[in-house]
Amino acid sequence: SQKIEQNSEALNIQEGKTATLTCNYTNYSPAYLQWYRQDPGRGPVFLLLIRENEKEKRKERLKVTFDTTLKQSLFHITASQPADSATYLCALDTLSTDKLIFGTGTRLQVFP
Amino acid sequence: ETGVTQSPTHLIKTRGQQVTLRCSSQSGHNTVSWYQQALGQGPQFIFQYYREEENGRGNFPPRFSGLQFPNYSSELNVNALELDDSALYLCASSSGTRADTQYFGPGTRLTVL
């Protein structure tokens, strides 16, 4: 069956370090993958989209990689700040439904 | 540019009741998708509306239904509420019907007692 996996355990890192979050998927062949940020009790906010023919995408302190062979995307936040603390969701399109499917999200906690 | 808005923000209902949630899409967007997000989970796709027609549905029973109006605002109706329907209900608008970037509203927190 199709599955998207993100670390359910919270990621705790110190301010200034690079946070790396993982999104693995099975039985999908997505054309693109998206990352969203969600704060408690709020709706997700779009961050980045990367297409299957792109290896890497950057936006300010954010970097996303997409390895279709490994079926994995990595999401990096460099020089992390306490304000980066949130849950980060990855989402994939599916050819079968042509709609976005979300992972369960990983909670990131950046402490001073 | 006006963002996505949802009402109400919170709602408490009892089992068996019916509920209607409302969403106004971002200006310029003609597609609205609804998601259910249980605590600790990612958003689950319920259905999508494009130009007032349902355009795709997730694995939800028929008691979940919706509408889209000519101004592209939308309603989500849930009949015969069950305890497991307690969740954050998110509305998202987009400019296309494919798995495009979703612009989410703040959500409606529904509690079923």
Side-chain angles (χ1 to χ4, degrees), chain B residues 22-105:
Chain B
R22 295 179 174 82
C23 169
S24 291
S25 60
Q26 184 166 306
S27 60
H29 288 174
N30 54 17
T31 303
V32 170
S33 301
W34 286 91
Y35 295 83
Q36 180 195 66
Q37 187 175 27
L39 210 57
Q41 301 296 314
Q44 299 292 311
F45 175 73
I46 303 175
F47 44 55
Q48 181 185 85
Y49 277 83
Y50 172 67
R51 293 187 177 180
E52 303 177 59
E53 297 286 330
E54 186 178 293
N55 179 52
R57 188 179 183 93
N59 190 26
F60 280 82
R63 58 189 186 84
F64 285 78
S65 63
L67 280 175
Q68 189 179 31
F69 300 99
N71 66 355
Y72 304 128
S73 65
S74 177
E75 285 183 356
L76 164 66
N77 298 290
V78 187
N79 293 321
L81 283 167
E82 301 176 359
L83 296 179
D84 285 348
D85 295 333
S86 295
L88 182 67
Y89 287 85
L90 295 162
C91 164
S93 72
S94 56
S95 56
T97 58
R98 291 205 65 237
D100 289 336
T101 298
Q102 303 288 288
Y103 294 87
F104 285 88

